[in-house]
Amino acid sequence: MSMAIVNAGRGLEVWVVRGRSWWQDRQPRERVLILGLAILLALAVIVNGVVRPLIEVRREAMAEIALYDDLEVRLRAAGASLKPPTNTAAGGSLQTVATMTASEAALPVREIGEQGDTTVVSLDGVTFVALMTWVDRLEGEQGVVVTQADVERQTAPGIVNARLTLARP
């Protein structure tokens, strides 16, 4: 085993000697050009392999933060003034209204069930914006309010799982 290490070290020494010999055979102006190209290559690798991906990830994160900040401001501003209309869905039960409006909004309902005067709806893998748009539509058009919400953020940006308890006031 020690012989293999010695031979490997000699192989490396051979390459180092060859490299130095090649470098010494170059004219001074060629050395300057080669060093300049090596520096440019290293900078290109650093910029394209490290800096640009980091800038892109940061830009996407900042856009997502701005979106959620804007949504929070709008929800807080409208929270006190939101009043559900007095009209309700045309003869539909709360479960029917939730199912129909979720279907129209292309939200995949995992589970829905009535518990007394409330209906519990579970949704998996929906975008947060689509979920909030659906909740806004339920409150604005159907007079249905969310009395309890459990929302879990998923690994994909903007995707959530939600369990909402709906009621009519």
Side-chain angles (χ1 to χ4, degrees):
M1 182 163 164
S2 63
M3 190 62 164
I5 294 174
V6 171
N7 286 338
R10 286 185 183 154
L12 183 61
E13 288 176 16
V14 170
W15 282 102
V16 170
V17 169
R18 284 184 185 174
R20 284 186 181 158
S21 172
W22 180 84
W23 183 255
Q24 294 300 325
D25 291 344
R26 303 297 111 208
Q27 295 292 325
R29 66 182 178 170
E30 290 176 325
R31 290 181 196 167
V32 169
L33 286 173
I34 292 170
L35 281 174
L37 287 175
I39 290 170
L40 283 175
L41 179 64
L43 286 173
V45 167
I46 290 171
V47 166
N48 289 318
V50 177
V51 175
R52 280 192 179 169
L54 287 175
I55 289 172
E56 182 64 24
V57 167
R58 183 176 189 276
R59 185 191 62 75
E60 290 172 3
M62 294 301 285
E64 190 174 338
I65 289 170
L67 172 73
Y68 290 130
D69 284 346
D70 181 50
L71 183 59
E72 178 188 18
V73 167
R74 290 190 332 194
L75 286 173
R76 287 187 190 276
S81 65
L82 287 179
K83 294 180 184 169
T86 56
N87 64 342
T88 59
S93 71
L94 190 54
Q95 184 172 350
T96 304
V97 169
T99 304
M100 288 177 44
T101 56
S103 175
E104 290 169 2
L107 294 175
V109 176
R110 180 175 50 99
E111 182 181 341
I112 188 166
E114 290 189 10
Q115 294 179 351
D117 292 339
T118 64
T119 297
V120 178
V121 181
S122 296
L123 304 130
D124 286 342
V126 298
T127 64
F128 184 73
V129 174
L131 178 67
M132 290 297 106
T133 303
W134 178 62
V135 168
D136 183 52
R137 182 172 173 216
L138 278 175
E139 291 180 358
E141 295 177 10
Q142 305 297 331
V144 176
V145 295
V146 177
T147 58
Q148 182 179 355
D150 296 319
V151 180
E152 290 181 4
R153 181 173 65 180
Q154 298 302 299
T155 55
I159 304 297
V160 297
N161 291 344
R163 181 177 169 88
L164 307 174
T165 303
L166 308 175
R168 285 200 171 111

